[in-house]
Amino acid sequence: MAAKTRGNALVNIKRLLQEHYQIITSNRLSATGLLFIVIFMVVAIFAPWIAPNDPWEMMYDSSGEFASLRSPSWQFPLGTTHLGYDLFSQLILATRTTLLIGSVSGGISILIGANIGLISGYYGGKIDEVLMRFTDILYGMPFLPFIIVLISLFGRRLEFIILAIVLIIWRTSARVIRAQTISIKQRQFIAAAKARGCSDFRIIYRHILPNVLPLLLLYAAFNIAWSVITEASASFLGFGDGETISWGGMLYELWLSGKTRVAWWWFAAPSICIVLLVTSLVFVSRAYEEVANPRLRKR
Amino acid sequence: MAILQLKKVSRHFEIKSGFVAKRFQGQPDRKIKAVEGVNFSLEQNEVVGIAGESGCGKSTTCMMIAGLLPPSSGEIIYDDKRIDQMGVEDLRWYRSQVQMIFQDPYESLNPRFRVFDTVAEGPRALKLYPETEIADRTEDMLKSVGLSLEKYADRYPHELSGGERQRVGIASALVMEPRMVIADEPLSMLDVSIRAGILDLLKDLAKQRHFSCIYVSHDLSILGHIADRLMIMYLGQAMEIGPTWDVIQNPQHPYTKALINAVPVPDPRVRRPVPEIKGDISRPIDPPPGCRFQSRCPHADQTCGENFITLQSTADAHHHAACHRLKEL
Amino acid sequence: MSRNRVLRVKNLSVRYQTQKGPVHAVNDVTFDVFENEVFGIAGESGCGKSTLIRSLMRLLPDSALVTASEITLSGQNLQSMPDKNFREEILWSKMSLVPQSAMNSLNPVYRVGHQVVEAIQAHRAISKAAARNRVAELFDVVGLQADLMDNYPHEFSGGMRQRAMIAMSLALDPGLIVMDEPTTGLDVLVQERILRRIREIRSQISSSIILITHDIAVIAEMSDRIGVMYGGSLMEQAPAIDLFESPCHPYTLGLKNAFPSIRNKGQELISIPGSPPTLIGESSECSFLERCPFKAEECSKEFPAIEKLAEFHEVRCFRHKEAPKLRELASNKATWLSSN
């Protein structure tokens, strides 16, 4: 009987994934975005195997000459740095760092933002007051001085960069999700759930959450995009992790080398990647924007 | 024995004046007296209709009975227990005993829940039965509201017609096996041609499943077809209560008379008398003492402004009206 | 009975092109409205009554394709008229609309009187003072005090706003006023007052009224003639009394059974099983076929044509000749249950 198989978690998850796949692929732009994100993810996961050279190894060309500041060629597809490092290998490994920072800080910030927004919006009153004033205080915190203090206290470590990004980013998603929660909680089906005897926890996570989900995914994509940009800015200013390399870090190295005017290829590759990834994320989020706000839908 | 009793139940809402208005303009906080001193009881297996215009307090009364809103004063007694004093455990039990059917089938179903999950949600939330039994009961319930499992279980609310949605709403209330159902205008959003079907369904299920029902509506023609007794409210006060057709055919209170004369009749040959009523309905914000209908009543005299008399017997022991001048009129 | 014809609509159809295919929102509708009469159009949600009206008022989006063989208002051909002329010469001055949920149609940031004055001045070259006098007159006609003119819409109750909208529709003495669900969503005593007011207005001025509503009781009380719409088509039209005493279309019979009356204790309500058609795609069958307990073979082959039973009584049903028999059968609940 069909009824018996219901409630099977695997079936439900599969159905959910199918639905979201359909949402994204129904729009040409967001489908393209998804494709690029998948490519970046594959590159990030298999980076050590894809990269042809060690990114910190001085390269010599086939004639045995030191390959300093070479423009793109067959041997060095994206050219080399003034120290002869292979930029293609650097870019591939940097993809890994950038995606890691982006997804971890984007993910954590949406997790915090969503929960604070849901709880604040649902309960209202004193809880809302306290949480929202806390959010307001964070709004008053400028990013750069904050990260400079944090880095100078604890050193240039990946964890602190993520922490700094998360602390700055979650506030907007909390605000937006709180507003959406307030409007949903006034709808009659929430009163109906209460009348059926649902607990607050169940109402928040089973009844309200699925209704804010499109908005939540929209902001998740935004948060990841912002994390990528923020990380790039921080790295470019020299507050990145000294041990690994990221797209922003590559631009920082270029700046340090003083070859900005000469090595256009050094500048081009990481910049294009940043723009491409952020644009892809924004495109994917647009599909959810249409779901979250049906008025944008084409008739 | 009565399953539910309301004793002098009132509900007031405060409208806080703004900081400046209060501090510098001396404007005090105001009170909306949404429900004031309502007494009534619901017997086993009985359908009581509550009728009145918007702002008469019928929905607030329902919310209080459903335990979604505490009364400001008075007692609501269910099976000898006061619901406003129930603890968490008792309230959980009470919530399984009393269920609501909502007005707007487009709004009262969660748009992200499939039909099956909507109906199964109540028993799941209260963990009334093991999951397999919940599935069986949900299937039975869907069948008895005329929706087959195969066709409807996996649909979302936006894939249903208005009538089907309201059937899902009814199923999700009745799957809890309530002893009391509060129906808040369940037909007002539906098309005329399907209303009768839902009304019949509700009547049949009430008989089969032995629940009592409070049916709230502004539509007296529909109440005439489902309610055993009828209570008329105006701006928070109960004006008249009695067996439905006694109230409709022999109204005692001046407000009830006006209300019944105002209902259009679906027959071009009938000419209704002009309802005797003055002015427009106001809101129950800081209402003057006495009967709230006095300013619109063609028969009001001085005593009406002094105090409001609660329901009192008319010639018939079951038929009560709240009016000083009952005997003269 | 020969009266002056105010509006003639012949073979009006409205189609939409959607992703799911063509939608026939209004299908071959023909009716007349005569001088000083109320023509009621009854129908449920989605039956096309609002689309019909919007097509007459040219309020439909560009995606709607409106075709008709004739639309004339007081002898003037409306079909060939460009939109601009229609707005300037016809709208408000010869044909006005009290829109659905008119209560929310007033602009909240302007005073009510000002909005009516603007509507008048847009069409008539008269001074502001004269226009204000006219508004005071109109407010009096709909039973609003003239000094309420300078209030904002939010200071009005729902019933008062509705009356203000009716006042606005009367402003330029149009020969035809279209009221789309004028009392839906209002309390019964407010509704009663507005209906009474409309009746009084009728006796004072000579305008004709098209009244659209899903409420059979309201339409029965207000109309001289009634058209019943279902699935985009006008299924039956007749003088009010004839329609209630001798209805012919199965849908009319069903509606009559389904509508409760407060005067009728012990009345058995019978609903019509099923739900209205979606009107998507091409179809040649009768649109009521699926829900009809009296369907015959020919009903699924073609849509029944208009049959004239009496001078003003028209019906679209193949079995109209058996009407007395069907009427009897229709009052039995089992008839309707067995059809599905």
Side-chain angles (χ1 to χ4, degrees):
Chain A
M1 194 62 244
K4 300 289 183 281
T5 58
R6 230 165 290 279
N8 183 331
L10 266 179
V11 175
N12 285 337
I13 288 173
K14 197 180 152 202
R15 237 177 3 199
L16 201 72
L17 285 180
Q18 270 171 355
E19 256 166 53
H20 287 283
Y21 180 74
Q22 257 167 21
I23 289 173
I24 294 175
T25 51
S26 63
N27 178 321
R28 195 182 298 169
L29 277 182
S30 47
T32 320
L34 183 68
L35 182 72
F36 277 110
I37 290 169
V38 169
I39 293 172
F40 277 122
M41 276 165 66
V42 170
V43 170
I45 291 165
F46 299 102
W49 293 279
I50 299 174
N53 301 304
D54 183 329
W56 307 116
E57 193 192 330
M58 290 184 185
M59 303 305 294
Y60 294 87
D61 63 17
S62 40
S63 58
E65 207 173 312
F66 178 48
S68 171
L69 280 182
R70 294 291 172 84
S71 57
S73 62
W74 281 113
Q75 196 186 353
F76 308 111
L78 296 178
T80 63
T81 73
H82 64 310
L83 295 175
Y85 299 153
D86 176 21
L87 275 169
F88 182 60
S89 306
Q90 283 207 339
L91 190 78
I92 284 170
L93 281 160
T95 306
R96 195 176 221 195
T97 320
T98 302
L99 243 62
L100 185 76
I101 293 178
S103 51
V104 171
S105 41
I108 295 176
S109 63
I110 197 72
L111 217 63
I112 297 175
N115 279 294
I116 288 187
L118 282 167
I119 287 166
S120 195
Y122 180 73
Y123 286 105
K126 286 222 168 62
I127 296 177
D128 183 37
E129 194 71 19
V130 170
L131 287 174
M132 281 303 115
R133 290 307 79 78
F134 178 56
T135 320
D136 287 347
I137 291 168
L138 278 183
Y139 258 108
M141 205 150 70
F143 176 68
L144 277 177
F146 177 64
I147 197 166
I148 292 169
V149 171
L150 204 71
I151 299 293
S152 50
L153 280 178
F154 299 103
R156 289 170 59 180
R157 298 247 313 271
L158 204 63
E159 296 93 298
F160 293 113
I161 295 164
I162 292 180
L163 180 73
I165 294 174
V166 166
L167 280 176
I168 294 296
I169 277 182
W170 70 265
R171 56 196 185 185
T172 308
S173 27
R175 276 276 165 119
V176 173
I177 287 174
R178 169 180 171 268
Q180 180 86 346
T181 306
I182 289 174
S183 89
I184 287 172
K185 103 175 161 182
Q186 287 158 349
R187 290 180 60 183
Q188 213 174 36
F189 62 83
I190 298 299
K194 237 183 241 175
R196 307 270 178 273
C198 294
S199 61
D200 288 343
F201 182 84
R202 197 177 172 92
I203 290 178
I204 292 175
Y205 291 101
R206 212 176 130 74
H207 291 259
I208 296 180
L209 182 65
N211 284 288
V212 299
L213 198 63
L215 194 73
L216 202 126
L217 291 170
L218 171 73
Y219 271 82
F222 266 167
N223 282 3
I224 294 173
W226 274 109
S227 305
V228 170
I229 290 176
T230 312
E231 189 276 336
S233 322
S235 298
F236 178 69
L237 293 170
F239 300 110
D241 188 337
E243 300 293 310
T244 54
I245 187 165
S246 68
W247 294 339
M250 289 169 72
L251 293 173
Y252 175 58
E253 297 285 327
L254 167 65
W255 181 254
L256 280 187
S257 74
K259 305 289 185 213
T260 321
R261 281 159 182 272
V262 192
W264 59 267
W265 58 91
W266 195 350
F267 160 79
S271 310
I272 290 172
C273 282
I274 291 171
V275 172
L276 201 60
L277 178 61
V278 171
T279 316
S280 301
L281 285 163
V282 173
F283 280 167
V284 168
S285 69
R286 280 195 51 163
Y288 285 99
E289 199 174 9
E290 279 184 10
V291 180
N293 189 357
R295 253 172 283 171
L296 294 176
R297 221 170 286 171
K298 274 186 226 131
R299 304 220 163 166
Chain B
M1 207 212 76
I3 176 170
L4 178 85
Q5 269 185 300
L6 269 67
K7 289 187 180 166
K8 289 203 163 174
V9 172
S10 300
R11 172 74 208 196
H12 301 167
F13 297 96
E14 293 223 324
I15 317 174
K16 289 255 191 315
S17 294
F19 175 76
V20 173
K22 198 172 182 175
R23 244 9 216 308
F24 301 105
Q25 298 168 344
Q27 189 188 341
D29 288 346
R30 293 178 300 168
K31 262 189 183 156
I32 297 183
K33 300 191 171 176
V35 175
E36 184 80 22
V38 168
N39 293 309
F40 98 104
S41 61
L42 178 68
E43 305 294 322
Q44 203 87 50
N45 298 338
E46 185 192 31
V47 181
V48 170
I50 304 182
E53 296 173 272
S54 49
C56 75
K58 53 191 195 296
S59 293
T60 310
T61 307
C62 282
M63 297 285 269
M64 288 194 286
I65 295 171
L68 296 172
L69 198 70
S72 305
S73 66
E75 297 172 16
I76 301 176
I77 302 160
Y78 175 82
D79 254 7
D80 298 331
K81 293 186 196 73
R82 281 186 64 170
I83 69 159
D84 46 323
Q85 291 175 348
M86 278 183 185
V88 178
E89 263 318 293
D90 278 345
L91 207 58
R92 262 172 70 100
W93 166 81
Y94 180 66
R95 290 263 164 88
S96 71
Q97 299 271 304
V98 180
Q99 284 300 316
M100 274 189 97
I101 298 168
F102 290 87
Q103 173 178 19
D104 187 346
Y106 296 85
E107 262 293 299
S108 63
L109 302 182
N110 192 327
R112 303 263 156 197
F113 272 48
R114 291 165 198 276
V115 167
F116 184 90
D117 294 323
T118 302
V119 177
E121 181 61 8
R124 277 179 184 164
L126 291 174
K127 300 198 174 62
L128 292 179
Y129 323 103
E131 183 63 29
T132 48
E133 197 182 336
I134 290 177
D136 290 341
R137 281 172 184 266
T138 303
E139 187 181 347
D140 283 352
M141 195 64 237
L142 281 173
K143 212 177 281 166
S144 59
V145 296
L147 302 175
S148 71
L149 192 74
E150 291 74 23
K151 209 169 149 197
Y152 289 98
D154 281 335
R155 291 207 193 169
Y156 282 110
H158 68 87
E159 298 167 310
L160 303 175
S161 71
E164 287 165 347
R165 278 179 227 213
Q166 199 51 287
R167 282 169 196 270
V168 174
I170 291 170
S172 63
L174 299 187
V175 74
M176 311 280 284
E177 308 217 320
R179 285 181 58 211
M180 190 164 90
V181 170
I182 302 164
D184 188 359
E185 307 234 15
L187 300 184
S188 66
M189 299 291 199
L190 301 180
D191 273 330
V192 178
S193 71
I194 55 173
R195 280 185 189 172
I198 304 280
L199 207 56
D200 281 348
L201 176 72
L202 214 50
K203 268 189 194 163
D204 292 347
L205 289 170
K207 253 181 229 144
Q208 283 166 29
R209 294 178 172 244
H210 308 290
F211 56 79
S212 312
C213 183
I214 295 174
Y215 191 106
V216 176
S217 178
H218 69 281
D219 189 336
L220 286 161
S221 327
I222 284 181
L223 284 169
H225 283 88
I226 186 158
D228 301 315
R229 284 193 300 144
L230 190 59
M231 175 159 90
I232 309 285
M233 288 182 76
Y234 183 77
L235 291 185
Q237 293 172 331
M239 293 300 182
E240 183 157 356
I241 187 166
T244 303
W245 283 94
D246 280 2
V247 173
I248 290 177
Q249 292 176 329
N250 186 20
Q252 297 296 311
H253 195 283
Y255 176 66
T256 316
K257 286 179 189 166
L259 194 63
I260 285 169
N261 280 338
V263 177
V265 181
D267 189 334
R269 295 159 298 192
V270 173
R271 285 278 166 260
R272 289 180 287 114
V274 182
E276 284 184 79
I277 194 161
K278 304 182 284 193
D280 264 329
I281 196 165
S282 56
R283 296 180 67 203
I285 301 172
D286 287 336
C291 178
R292 295 205 180 146
F293 186 57
Q294 55 176 302
S295 61
R296 302 182 69 190
C297 183
H299 310 292
D301 60 14
Q302 219 192 333
T303 34
C304 299
E306 281 157 11
N307 64 327
F308 175 68
I309 59 155
T310 39
L311 298 165
Q312 53 179 238
S313 292
T314 61
D316 177 354
H318 298 290
H319 191 162
H320 308 270
C323 184
H324 284 286
R325 308 190 59 189
L326 218 49
K327 293 208 174 70
E328 311 158 51
L329 303 171
Chain C
M1 191 158 63
S2 88
R3 287 176 294 174
N4 285 334
R5 193 182 289 129
V6 176
L7 177 75
R8 153 153 270 193
V9 174
K10 221 172 157 187
N11 310 109
L12 179 90
S13 295
V14 181
R15 274 160 154 259
Y16 287 101
Q17 219 35 266
T18 67
Q19 288 175 341
K20 288 177 185 166
V23 172
H24 298 255
V26 175
N27 194 8
D28 194 14
V29 167
T30 298
F31 66 91
D32 296 321
V33 179
F34 296 97
E35 206 170 67
N36 199 16
E37 76 162 354
V38 178
F39 182 64
I41 299 178
E44 300 175 281
S45 54
C47 74
K49 58 190 191 299
S50 289
T51 311
L52 171 67
I53 286 324
R54 278 192 221 127
S55 72
L56 286 181
M57 308 299 289
R58 304 210 183 168
L59 295 171
L60 289 174
D62 292 340
S63 57
L65 182 72
V66 182
T67 53
S69 57
E70 188 184 343
I71 304 175
T72 38
L73 183 71
S74 318
Q76 198 170 2
N77 183 356
L78 293 189
Q79 265 186 299
S80 54
M81 190 176 281
D83 279 354
K84 187 166 173 286
N85 296 28
F86 180 81
R87 269 199 307 275
E88 284 167 4
E89 294 162 27
I90 304 294
L91 219 53
W92 291 106
S93 51
K94 292 193 174 151
M95 177 161 75
S96 65
L97 175 71
V98 180
Q100 205 167 359
S101 67
M103 288 174 285
N104 305 321
S105 303
L106 289 162
N107 189 332
V109 300
Y110 293 110
R111 295 174 199 276
V112 178
H114 173 77
Q115 300 187 39
V116 187
V117 167
E118 273 209 322
I120 297 175
Q121 285 191 314
H123 288 88
R124 297 273 154 85
I126 56 172
S127 71
K128 196 164 182 185
R132 280 183 67 87
N133 281 339
R134 173 74 181 136
V135 177
E137 245 175 75
L138 292 166
F139 268 38
D140 188 52
V141 171
V142 296
L144 289 171
Q145 284 164 306
D147 51 351
L148 289 171
M149 252 165 82
D150 290 320
N151 284 24
Y152 287 96
H154 71 90
E155 295 168 297
F156 276 36
S157 69
M160 286 157 79
R161 269 179 265 171
Q162 185 64 283
R163 273 179 272 167
M165 283 306 292
I166 294 175
M168 205 191 275
S169 74
L170 296 172
L172 300 170
D173 289 317
L176 180 67
I177 304 168
V178 181
M179 299 185 178
D180 193 356
E181 304 269 10
T183 58
T184 304
L186 296 175
D187 276 318
V188 71
L189 279 159
V190 183
Q191 163 175 294
E192 142 73 31
R193 177 154 333 146
I194 288 180
L195 295 182
R196 203 163 287 281
R197 194 54 78 169
I198 294 173
R199 244 177 265 148
E200 284 169 22
I201 292 166
R202 257 194 76 198
S203 60
Q204 289 170 20
I205 59 173
S206 61
S207 299
S208 306
I209 295 174
I210 297 181
L211 176 72
I212 301 169
T213 174
H214 68 282
D215 191 325
I216 312 293
V218 168
I219 220 155
E221 290 196 346
M222 299 295 296
S223 315
D224 301 312
R225 289 189 306 120
I226 299 174
V228 179
M229 271 190 92
Y230 182 83
S233 306
L234 207 49
M235 291 302 200
E236 183 165 6
Q237 53 171 319
I241 300 215
D242 289 1
L243 194 78
F244 279 80
E245 279 177 354
S246 51
C248 288
H249 197 280
Y251 178 64
T252 319
L253 297 173
L255 268 189
K256 218 182 143 214
N257 288 328
F259 206 86
S261 167
I262 197 166
R263 297 298 172 91
N264 202 349
K265 189 183 174 181
Q267 170 195 15
E268 189 185 32
L269 295 184
I270 308 170
S271 74
I272 306 174
S275 45
T278 57
L279 306 175
I280 296 173
E282 304 290 341
S283 158
S284 58
E285 60 186 34
C286 172
S287 55
F288 190 57
L289 176 78
E290 236 176 82
R291 301 171 78 184
C292 185
F294 309 121
K295 52 184 164 246
E297 221 175 283
E298 63 262 32
C299 301
S300 60
K301 285 181 187 135
E302 62 178 323
F303 201 98
I306 297 169
E307 298 287 344
K308 211 165 173 140
L309 306 178
E311 196 191 349
F312 288 106
H313 197 161
E314 291 173 357
V315 66
R316 276 179 179 271
C317 181
F318 287 118
R319 299 185 67 181
H320 61 90
K321 288 202 181 90
E322 301 163 71
K325 195 179 107 199
L326 300 190
R327 244 169 260 153
E328 200 175 304
L329 282 170
S331 61
N332 186 352
K333 199 168 190 166
T335 310
W336 295 88
L337 292 177
S338 63
S339 76
N340 276 51

